[in-house]
């Protein structure tokens, strides 16, 4: 597939995935925006905003409980205290719907005397008549009346899309005494949705302004545009309706009136971040420094109580902070208006996602494989850092969840899939080349592409530092004598397929197959990685051979395996008119000798000490030092036992006893060694090394060697 097409596919698929997931799960808000808030942390709050909290302490001290109408007898004195201290504006997040004739006149007089009191209008939202009802505080069940009349049979079901919103006016005495009033609607907290944006105007309520917007206009210095013969709320509604025919607004106030009907709230922190004073303390005159402040009075618990109503999720909400009171959200919107620092979306999110996806695709296609993945990761992290910085400094909200969680991983998957596809094409070209130049190698080429290319198929030889694995079939000559050549061919053909799969799956290369022996090599990789891969391959080969033997109708092929590492030469040997690739060197011969030691010890997998003695994840045990036929230098060998499944894997008790016996054996303490080897066999009667050394010990007890150095000399292969 051409590069431009790949770039287009990665860009489009990444964008579509992030968009669809966001539409289905609202990920940019639930994860992106909330994460930006939490990373940024709390912000400095404007000193002009103060919340007077009708909290638990005030409920107890004033003896009012949770009945909001009982608080009214204290509101008059509260207003007197605030007016006396010179509060700039007083905003009640209370609706005053139910009349209380005994105290309403006193409260109305206090409101008139203060002359700067705004109150909240109740907003009720109905869906499908009265089947779904939403409202805050005093917009309670006793005010839930049918918003529309149903026509037809009583059982008629109204449409799910039928939505009605209405306002309930405060009691007349208080409504007339207040400076002005406006609604402030929040969704019902039982829906458990986070409040991330708030209305500035309610177009569904005849373009009515929200209470924080109304408070902001009253708090600003008087403008010549403001009316003198009607409430500001009515004038704002008129201005809002006239926006359709007005020119582009040039003043902040006009922009606020004519812009969209909602803004994203820039929360200053978790609940109780804004200055909050207890209602009872203000009522009793214990709070000072209220001169010129905008006071928001409403229900706000100082301690989180999940059973309370009128509390809402915000981006900072968690089990520790709890939810935020409605009056705090109202004060937050007013503070945002005051400082003009709402959360803004500077560029359409879809456009940023497209550009980001395009740049990621260019990096992945331009730098195939891991370089492209690393570069795209660094680029995306740089973008994420910029998004966090711009959110903290300029309150800009850029997409975060989609690029990091959807676009980038999907782009990686597509890039890796194409890389694998390209490798398979390359393997096809290699196979075609090998079939023409080295036809004898076609049947045993490794399944993983590219492994022999580094060995130099196109060249003649290569010196490497590698690891060799040698196998041999025990008693092969006797088995071959009992079967026809055709039967042996069929048996060995299946056997070498079984034996070769673990080598290929662990990145090894089959270097030679001759009769009953196979040679595999690992090279051009870190030493520990080669050792670990070869040990795992050997263990899997032993298990695979056991399964093969149990399912075969012919004689079992008991396989011995030896491992050694050192210098190798990989190259082509010319014989007549043919060329054969082989692994050549003393390392190959030693690996073959090591596998032969299995015959003496009754083991299946032996390796030179350097391969597995300190290899994490592999269980091994030393089995002694040997001088094999044809080599003057002794070999310290270990048995590869299995895979270590956990760091606290207990040691095999028999292995511990054997190790003690081996130590005293090498010191020439024959009686003690014999006792320990007998103890090891008592724990495991089938342990070949213990049986071998017990026989040696008994022999040396009768005929001690003339010069003992702890090395066992083997006289034959």
């Amino acid at each position: 597939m051409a590069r431009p097409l790949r770039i287009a596919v990665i860009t489009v698929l990444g964008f579509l995935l992030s968009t669809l997931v966001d539409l289905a799960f609202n990920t940019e808000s639930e994860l992106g925006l909330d994460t930006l808030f939490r990373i940024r942390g709390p912000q400095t709050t404007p000193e002009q905003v103060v919340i007077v909290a009708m909290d638990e302490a005030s409920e107890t001290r004033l003896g009012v409980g949770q009945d909001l109408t009982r608080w009214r007898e204290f509101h008059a004195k509260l207003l007197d205290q605030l007016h006396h201290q010179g509060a700039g504006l007083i905003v009640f997040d209370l609706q005053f719907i139910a009349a209380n004739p005994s105290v309403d006149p006193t409260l109305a007089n206090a409101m008139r005397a203060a002359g700067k009191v705004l109150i909240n209008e109740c907003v009720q939202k109905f869906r499908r008549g009265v089947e779904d009802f939403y409202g805050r505080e005093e917009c309670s069940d006793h005010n839930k009346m049918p918003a529309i009349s149903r026509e037809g049979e009583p059982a008629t079901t109204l449409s799910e899309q039928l939505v009605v919103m209405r306002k309930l006016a405060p009691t007349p005495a208080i409504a007339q005494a207040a400076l002005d009033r406006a609604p402030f609607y929040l969704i019902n907290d039982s829906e458990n949705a986070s409040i991330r944006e708030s209305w500035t105007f309610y177009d569904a309520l005849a373009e009515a302004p929200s209470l924080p917007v109304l408070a902001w206009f009253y708090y600003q210095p008087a403008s010549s545009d403001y009316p003198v013969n009607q409430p500001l709320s009515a004038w704002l509604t008129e201005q809002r309706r006239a926006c359709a025919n007005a020119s582009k607004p040039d003043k902040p106030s006009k922009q606020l009136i004519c812009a969209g009907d909602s803004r994203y709230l820039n929360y200053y922190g978790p609940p109780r971040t804004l200055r909050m004073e207890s209602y009872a303390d203000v009522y009793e005159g214990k709070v000072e420094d209220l001169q010129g402040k905008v006071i928001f009075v409403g229900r706000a618990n100082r301690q989180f109580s999940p059973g309370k109503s009128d509390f809402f999720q915000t981006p900072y909400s968690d089990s520790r902070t709890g939810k935020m009171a409605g009056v705090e959200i109202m004060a937050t919107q007013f503070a945002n208006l005051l400082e003009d620092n709402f959360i803004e979306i500077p560029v359409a999110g879809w456009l940023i996602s497209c550009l980001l996806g395009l740049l990621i695709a260019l990096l992945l296609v331009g730098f195939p494989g891991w370089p492209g993945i690393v570069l795209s990761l660094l680029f995306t992290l740089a973008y994420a850092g910029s998004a966090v910085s711009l959110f903290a400094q300029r309150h800009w909200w850029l997409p975060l969840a989609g690029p990091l969680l959807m676009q980038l991983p999907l782009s990686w998957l597509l890039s890796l899939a194409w890389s694998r596809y390209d490798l398979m094409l390359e393997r096809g070209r290699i196979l075609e080349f090998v079939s023409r130049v080295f036809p004898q190698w076609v049947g045993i080429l490794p399944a993983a592409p590219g492994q022999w290319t580094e060995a130099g198929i196109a060249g003649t030889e290569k010196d490497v530092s590698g690891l060799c694995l040698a196998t041999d079939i025990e008693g092969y000559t006797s088995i071959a004598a009992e079967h026809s050549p055709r039967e042996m061919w069929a048996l060995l053909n299946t056997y070498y397929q079984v034996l070769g799969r673990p080598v290929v799956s662990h990145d090894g290369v089959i270097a030679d197959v001759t009769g009953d022996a196979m040679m595999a090599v690992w090279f051009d990789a870190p030493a520990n990685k080669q050792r670990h891969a070869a040990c795992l391959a050997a263990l899997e080969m032993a298990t695979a051979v056991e399964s093969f033997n149990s399912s075969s109708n012919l004689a079992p092929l008991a396989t011995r395996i030896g491992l050694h590492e050192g210098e190798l030469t990989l190259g082509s040997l010319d014989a007549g008119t043919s060329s054969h690739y082989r692994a050549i060197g003393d390392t190959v011969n030693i690996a073959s000798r090591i596998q032969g030691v299995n015959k003496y010890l009754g083991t299946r997998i032996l390796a030179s000490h350097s391969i597995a003695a300190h290899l994490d994840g592999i269980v091994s045990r030393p089995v002694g030092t040997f001088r094999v036929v044809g080599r003057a230098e002794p070999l310290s060998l270990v048995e590869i036992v299995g895979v270590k499944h956990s760091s606290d894997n207990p040691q095999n008790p028999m292995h511990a006893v054997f190790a003690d016996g081996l130590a005293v054996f090498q010191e020439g303490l024959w009686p003690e060694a014999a006792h320990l080897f007998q103890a090891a066999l008592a724990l495991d009667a089938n342990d070949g090394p213990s049986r071998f050394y017990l026989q040696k010990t008994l022999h040396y007890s009768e005929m001690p060697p003339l010069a003992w150095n702890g090395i066992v000399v083997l006289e034959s292969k």
Side-chain angles (χ1 to χ4, degrees):
M1 187 179 292
R3 283 191 172 190
L5 183 56
R6 292 186 179 186
I7 293 172
V9 170
I10 292 175
T11 303
V12 172
L13 289 183
F15 167 72
L16 290 177
L17 177 65
S18 62
T19 302
L20 293 175
V21 172
D22 185 46
L23 290 174
F25 302 102
N26 201 21
T27 53
E28 280 305 332
S29 295
E30 297 286 346
L31 294 176
L33 181 58
D34 291 5
T35 300
L36 289 170
F37 270 115
R38 292 178 183 275
I39 292 175
R40 187 195 68 179
Q43 301 289 290
T44 303
T45 60
E47 62 180 11
Q48 299 96 319
V49 180
V50 179
I51 297 172
V52 175
M54 298 162 62
D55 55 8
E56 303 95 333
S58 300
E59 290 176 2
T60 302
R61 286 160 62 181
L62 301 179
V64 293
Q66 298 186 30
D67 184 355
L68 295 178
T69 60
R70 296 182 59 188
W71 288 78
R72 290 191 197 171
E73 59 184 287
F74 302 98
H75 290 340
K77 184 177 177 182
L78 177 76
L79 288 173
D80 290 342
Q81 285 285 354
L82 295 173
H83 182 54
H84 176 71
Q85 292 202 40
L89 192 66
I90 303 167
V91 183
F92 275 98
D93 185 27
L94 303 168
Q95 287 83 35
F96 302 104
I97 297 172
N100 189 344
S102 62
V103 299
D104 284 356
T106 304
L107 176 58
N109 290 334
M111 285 184 173
R112 291 190 186 92
K116 45 194 170 187
V117 178
L118 303 179
I119 61 176
N120 195 355
E121 285 186 299
C122 169
V123 175
Q124 289 182 318
K125 181 179 179 181
F126 295 88
R127 189 171 64 199
R128 298 179 61 179
V130 295
E131 295 178 27
D132 291 320
F133 161 78
Y134 305 93
R136 294 178 58 215
E137 298 289 351
E138 290 180 87
C139 294
S140 54
D141 286 344
H142 68 267
N143 290 306
K144 187 171 71 173
M145 300 175 291
I148 62 170
S149 298
R150 299 191 186 192
E151 297 181 0
E153 296 296 327
T156 300
T157 301
L158 296 176
S159 169
E160 177 70 23
Q161 302 301 319
L162 183 57
V163 176
V164 175
M165 294 184 71
R166 70 176 179 188
K167 292 190 293 183
L168 295 179
T171 182
I174 295 177
Q176 295 170 8
L179 175 63
D180 210 339
R181 64 181 188 267
F184 185 69
Y185 173 77
L186 295 172
I187 61 173
N188 190 295
D189 63 332
S190 64
E191 294 186 358
N192 207 33
S194 292
I195 304 295
R196 298 183 179 85
E197 57 183 318
S198 185
W199 277 283
T200 53
F201 283 84
Y202 299 94
D203 292 342
L205 294 173
E207 288 78 38
S210 70
L211 187 53
V213 170
L214 182 64
W216 183 75
F217 272 93
Y218 272 109
Y219 189 68
Q220 297 302 306
S223 170
S224 59
D225 297 334
Y226 291 3
V228 294
N229 57 351
Q230 65 175 337
L232 263 179
S233 59
W235 178 79
L236 287 171
T237 295
E238 293 176 358
Q239 295 298 307
R240 175 75 175 181
R241 292 172 179 173
C243 285
N245 300 322
S247 58
K248 185 176 180 180
D250 55 352
K251 296 181 180 179
S253 58
K254 284 292 185 182
Q255 292 174 0
L256 175 61
I257 294 172
C258 294
D261 58 357
S262 67
R263 303 287 294 274
Y264 281 97
L265 294 172
N266 187 3
Y267 286 98
Y268 295 91
R272 297 170 295 282
T273 297
L274 291 167
R275 179 185 172 186
M276 184 179 291
E277 304 290 349
S278 177
Y279 184 104
D281 290 342
V282 178
Y283 176 84
E284 294 168 1
K286 298 179 180 179
V287 178
E288 300 178 351
D289 186 26
L290 298 178
Q291 176 75 31
K293 302 294 191 289
V294 179
I295 311 297
F296 291 86
V297 183
R299 198 171 190 177
N301 293 332
R302 308 296 287 277
Q303 299 176 356
F304 174 51
S305 178
K308 300 290 185 180
S309 61
D310 201 45
F311 283 78
F312 305 87
Q313 295 274 7
T314 71
Y316 286 105
S317 295
D318 56 34
S319 59
R320 181 180 58 85
T321 63
K323 299 179 181 179
M324 182 174 284
V327 68
E328 290 184 87
I329 297 175
M330 177 189 293
T332 298
Q333 184 179 7
F334 175 82
N336 289 170
L337 286 165
L338 199 62
E339 297 185 327
D340 191 22
N341 66 348
F342 286 95
I343 299 300
E344 303 290 349
I345 302 176
V347 183
W350 65 266
L351 180 58
I352 295 179
S353 295
C354 284
L355 292 175
L356 192 63
L358 177 60
L359 291 172
I360 291 173
L362 288 171
L363 290 172
L364 291 173
V365 175
F367 302 91
W370 288 109
I373 290 177
V374 172
L375 288 174
S376 63
L377 176 61
L378 293 176
F379 168 73
T380 307
L381 291 177
Y383 164 78
S386 301
V388 170
S389 177
L390 289 171
F391 184 83
Q393 297 177 12
R394 307 196 64 174
H395 318 304
W396 284 3
W397 175 19
L398 301 179
L400 199 62
L404 289 177
L405 302 182
M406 270 77 73
Q407 286 184 279
L408 185 62
L410 178 62
S411 300
W412 285 350
L413 287 175
L414 292 173
S415 174
L416 290 174
W418 274 317
S419 295
R420 182 64 181 176
Y421 173 75
D422 291 340
L423 284 175
M424 295 307 294
L425 291 180
E426 180 66 20
R427 170 175 164 74
R429 289 191 288 269
I430 292 174
L431 285 175
E432 182 182 359
F433 170 80
V434 172
S435 64
R436 287 187 286 106
V437 181
F438 305 108
Q440 69 276 15
W441 272 83
V442 173
I444 58 173
L445 272 179
Q451 289 182 334
W452 269 112
T453 58
E454 294 186 2
I457 284 180
T460 57
E461 61 186 27
K462 180 178 182 179
D463 296 328
V464 299
S465 178
L467 188 152
C468 184
L469 180 151
T471 74
D472 184 70
I473 299 175
E474 183 178 341
Y476 174 76
T477 303
S478 299
I479 297 173
E482 297 175 358
H483 299 87
S484 68
R486 174 62 62 179
E487 289 176 335
M488 288 304 299
W489 183 89
L491 178 65
L492 291 177
N493 186 53
T494 306
Y495 167 77
Y496 282 121
Q497 291 182 35
V498 170
L499 211 61
R501 289 192 189 101
V503 174
V504 174
S505 66
H506 289 286
D507 300 326
V509 176
I510 299 172
D512 192 14
V513 175
T514 305
D516 63 333
M518 185 184 81
M519 194 70 65
V521 291
W522 281 260
F523 56 92
D524 284 352
N528 269 357
K529 186 175 180 180
Q530 289 181 170
R531 294 166 183 168
H532 191 259
C535 289
L536 290 178
L539 290 168
E540 292 180 15
M541 289 168 76
T543 302
V545 169
E546 288 182 9
S547 300
F548 169 78
N549 288 335
S550 63
S551 61
S552 174
N553 296 326
L554 301 179
L557 303 180
T559 302
R560 300 187 293 248
I561 302 172
L563 299 167
H564 189 64
E565 61 183 352
E567 301 302 318
L568 296 167
T569 296
L570 302 175
S572 174
L573 295 177
D574 296 328
T577 59
S578 300
S579 295
H580 303 271
Y581 251 81
R582 293 289 186 271
I584 307 298
D586 193 41
T587 300
V588 177
N589 299 329
I590 296 176
S592 180
R593 291 289 186 268
I594 291 175
Q595 70 82 16
V597 179
N598 284 289
K599 176 173 60 176
Y600 292 93
L601 297 183
T603 51
R604 290 301 177 199
I605 308 172
L606 291 177
S608 53
H609 183 271
S610 63
I611 289 179
H614 304 291
L615 195 60
D616 292 338
I618 299 297
V619 179
S620 63
R621 61 162 173 166
V623 291
T625 304
F626 301 86
R627 182 175 288 113
V628 297
V629 175
R631 285 198 60 82
E633 295 182 3
L635 298 171
S636 294
L637 304 182
V638 296
E639 180 188 8
I640 307 300
V641 178
V643 177
K644 186 182 296 183
H645 296 289
S646 63
S647 59
D648 56 352
N649 207 25
Q651 184 180 11
N652 188 323
M654 185 274 292
H655 289 175
V657 176
F658 172 81
D660 294 339
L662 180 61
V664 297
F665 173 84
Q666 291 174 336
E667 292 177 7
L669 305 175
W670 315 123
E672 292 86 342
H675 175 74
L676 288 169
F677 290 133
Q678 288 171 346
L681 287 171
L683 294 173
D684 184 357
N686 297 318
D687 185 48
S690 296
R691 185 179 298 108
F692 169 81
Y693 279 105
L694 178 59
Q695 293 174 355
K696 283 287 182 184
T697 301
L698 296 176
H699 175 71
Y700 289 161
S701 297
E702 297 179 0
M703 299 180 63
L706 296 178
W708 176 244
N709 55 7
I711 300 173
V712 177
V713 179
L714 301 177
E715 302 296 342
S716 62
K717 296 182 180 179

